[in-house]
Amino acid sequence: MSNSTPVGSADRPLRVAVIGSGPAGVYAADILTKSEAVKSGELTVSIDLFDRYPAPYGLIRYGVAPDHPRIKGIVNALHKVLDRGDIRFFGNVDYGTDLSIEDLRKHYDAIIFATGAIKDADLNIPGIEFEGSFGGADFVSWFDGHPDVSREWPLEATEIAVLGNGNVALDVARVLSKHADDLLVTEIPDNVYAGLKASPVTDVHVFGRRGPAQVKFTPLELRELSHSKDVDIILYAEDFEFDEASDEAIQSNNQVKTMVGTLTNWIAEQPEDLSELKASRRLHLHFLHSPVEIVDSPETPGKVAGIKFERTELDGTGNARGTGEFIDYPVQAVYRAIGYFGSALPDVEFDHKKGVVTNDGGRVLDADGQHVPGLYATGWIKRGPVGLIGHTKGDALETVTYLLEDRENLPFAEVPSADAVVELLDSRGVEFTSWEGWLALDAHELALGAAATEAGTSHGVEVKRERIKVVPREEMVSISRDGVAAQV
């Protein structure tokens, strides 16, 4: 670096690479551009956002149920940030394959990892490996049209168990129990609609280890369950147990109070004779159940035929302990939705127990616990897969604050030209996509929805399909790059 061209000046902006274009990555980039140092003119920045997928938005596009009521608002907010033009987007670029840590260090002064978490947390019980045992995150990826997931999903079970009491568990249970025609108004791909349409499911059971006051989902997710047509919600009086910690949480936490109130109202309104419920599908909510073993049968060895639980009880602190009472449920599929887990990144120290990049407040650490200059992390890969969107913003602010504090001591890039990384990707034959390419793909998906709506109307089917998501990676890349080429 020349002494006459200080890093952060108009002639030599601070070059920052953000790996991951989900909320964590976009928020970090946005917060950096709006920092006081940048707004005052003291610092100029140049930010490139990289994603392994051809389209932006990360977990919002590939990890949230398509009928989630908040998804459109979140996408709109992310769109506004990236549409300003001061942050470049490079899609279909895989860190560790297309670009190494050495490449990034050569072209950027600082690197922020915001790769999130896409894998299911493990559940080590007998039978977890049986055919018909699935990870909830994998199922979410399928129904969200993830380009790296098989387009087929074995929906053969009539009775299904979903393990977990978080938002993902409710998303999985809702999509499994909902009638496919009611999802046509969302952006689900055609292969997902066809798979769900053919599903023979009649009963979906959601199981949690603790009581109603300890659930991890939100009131919004809970209320969404009641919006499914021709699906009855069933609860069980023996699962409604409250200890001292439960009572305290209900009194002090409005969210807990709301959810417990909703659940108790539902069970109070439920007929004593469940045969009076006439919906073709049922969604059962169970509490105080700890999974012990997934079982098969002599007729179908190695294939899910049921699941065994130990009944639990609250211990006064809100935690659960076993009672020694066991209960079996006949099911033909089990979905574990007990949390996500981060994946290790090449050439970055990783905590395999927590599933996060080893860091201190967002500063990436080496094996000796020392900060690696220029490396940072934010989002789930920093703190683990907990918290909502609001937590992600605060998390990004902490990381960016540290980056700005460190800016005088960063290992400045040897080749900071904005064009250099484009030339590097071109030289390696990487078919990267751009923000303009995403706009072309976005328009294409909206056009598919409009065409399907028109075709349905002509056949007497009045369902507005706002968009239809494109699934194959090659098709996404082609539409994106061809759309940009057509504009040139």
Side-chain angles (χ1 to χ4, degrees):
M1 182 186 69
S2 169
N3 290 332
S4 62
T5 312
V7 172
S9 67
D11 293 328
R12 169 57 168 94
L14 182 74
R15 292 276 288 146
V16 180
V18 180
I19 313 302
S21 68
V26 176
Y27 289 149
D30 186 41
I31 289 170
L32 182 54
T33 63
K34 294 177 179 176
S35 64
E36 190 58 37
V38 173
K39 287 195 298 182
S40 68
E42 174 189 345
L43 176 71
T44 61
V45 294
S46 172
I47 304 173
D48 288 343
L49 197 64
F50 294 90
D51 203 292
R52 62 178 299 194
Y53 308 124
Y57 308 143
L59 202 65
I60 295 300
R61 182 172 168 94
Y62 294 122
V64 179
D67 61 343
H68 195 292
R70 288 183 60 206
I71 187 170
K72 190 177 296 184
I74 298 170
V75 167
N76 288 342
L78 301 180
H79 178 99
K80 287 179 181 177
V81 173
L82 296 180
D83 201 44
R84 293 195 312 245
D86 56 347
I87 300 167
R88 290 197 303 183
F89 172 71
F90 290 85
N92 203 40
V93 179
D94 187 23
Y95 166 72
T97 302
D98 301 317
L99 289 177
S100 67
I101 192 72
E102 291 80 10
D103 296 325
L104 292 171
R105 282 195 170 283
K106 185 175 181 180
H107 293 86
Y108 298 93
D109 308 308
I111 304 158
I112 302 175
F113 292 101
T115 51
I118 60 171
K119 292 185 177 180
D120 285 283
D122 290 333
L123 177 63
N124 295 316
I125 61 173
I128 196 67
E129 75 286 355
F130 285 168
E131 179 185 350
S133 173
F134 307 105
D138 291 337
F139 181 60
V140 172
S141 292
W142 174 75
F143 68 59
D144 271 334
H146 194 295
D148 298 334
V149 172
S150 171
R151 300 191 69 185
E152 305 299 322
W153 191 272
L155 291 164
E156 303 163 350
T158 58
E159 300 161 298
I160 300 171
V162 178
L163 309 181
N165 259 180
N167 285 340
V168 175
L170 290 197
D171 278 352
V172 168
R174 192 175 66 254
V175 171
L176 284 168
S177 60
K178 204 166 189 174
H179 291 276
D181 286 351
D182 294 331
L183 288 167
L184 279 175
V185 295
T186 74
E187 59 185 26
I188 61 167
D190 288 337
N191 66 296
V192 175
Y193 169 72
L196 292 171
K197 181 73 172 176
S199 171
V201 67
T202 59
D203 293 83
V204 177
H205 299 261
V206 182
F207 296 95
R209 285 191 314 108
R210 298 188 291 170
Q214 285 77 42
V215 295
K216 295 298 184 183
F217 44 76
T218 60
L220 185 64
E221 289 281 350
L222 181 60
R223 287 194 296 269
E224 276 300 296
L225 294 184
S226 64
H227 296 163
S228 296
K229 299 176 184 176
D230 192 33
V231 179
D232 283 325
I233 299 174
I234 299 177
L235 299 104
Y236 299 87
E238 62 269 23
D239 292 345
F240 279 71
E241 179 181 309
F242 302 94
D243 61 0
E244 293 178 9
S246 301
D247 292 335
E248 182 179 342
I250 293 169
Q251 295 300 320
S252 61
N253 188 309
N254 285 333
Q255 179 165 299
V256 174
K257 182 178 181 179
T258 298
M259 288 189 293
V260 169
T262 299
L263 290 167
T264 53
N265 285 339
W266 284 355
I267 196 169
E269 296 166 358
Q270 183 174 288
E272 290 186 17
D273 183 357
L274 296 182
S275 66
E276 295 179 17
L277 299 174
K278 300 302 182 182
S280 65
R281 292 180 176 178
R282 291 160 293 280
L283 180 56
H284 308 254
L285 300 180
H286 304 268
F287 306 104
L288 304 173
H289 283 69
S290 180
V292 174
E293 179 183 10
I294 298 173
V295 298
D296 56 3
S297 71
E299 293 78 19
T300 56
K303 188 173 183 178
V304 174
I307 183 168
K308 180 188 292 290
F309 291 91
E310 181 178 12
R311 292 284 298 180
T312 61
E313 62 183 7
L314 299 178
D315 65 1
T317 69
N319 291 313
R321 60 193 174 202
T323 64
E325 176 190 350
F326 296 89
I327 184 169
D328 295 284
Y329 292 86
V331 297
Q332 301 82 49
V334 175
Y335 290 75
R336 68 184 186 280
I338 57 173
Y340 284 86
F341 201 78
S343 302
L345 299 171
D347 303 311
V348 181
E349 196 67 26
F350 193 76
D351 186 329
H352 291 274
K353 289 184 178 180
K354 297 179 180 178
V356 299
V357 166
T358 308
N359 73 94
D360 179 14
R363 288 181 170 122
V364 173
L365 306 178
D366 62 19
D368 297 323
Q370 300 299 309
H371 176 216
V372 183
L375 296 192
Y376 300 87
T378 191
W380 280 4
I381 202 64
K382 166 189 172 182
R383 71 179 190 273
V386 293
L388 303 175
I389 295 295
H391 298 94
T392 302
K393 289 183 178 179
D395 195 50
L397 177 60
E398 179 185 49
T399 295
V400 170
T401 299
Y402 281 132
L403 188 159
L404 290 171
E405 287 181 5
D406 300 338
R407 67 181 184 272
E408 299 297 333
N409 300 305
L410 295 173
F412 300 123
E414 298 174 21
V415 187
S417 166
D419 294 333
V421 71
V422 177
E423 294 169 1
L424 177 64
L425 292 172
D426 281 336
S427 71
R428 292 177 176 175
V430 179
E431 292 189 304
F432 62 88
T433 60
S434 63
W435 178 247
E436 292 73 22
W438 159 246
L439 295 179
L441 177 58
D442 183 38
H444 179 81
E445 291 185 343
L446 290 170
L448 290 177
T453 299
E454 184 177 348
T457 301
S458 67
H459 288 85
V461 180
E462 297 293 335
V463 176
K464 181 180 179 181
R465 301 201 67 182
E466 186 172 342
R467 77 161 64 231
I468 298 177
K469 193 178 287 183
V470 174
V471 179
R473 178 183 288 267
E474 298 78 11
E475 187 177 349
M476 294 171 68
V477 172
S478 175
I479 294 167
S480 299
R481 290 174 67 89
D482 289 350
V484 173
Q487 297 171 20
V488 175

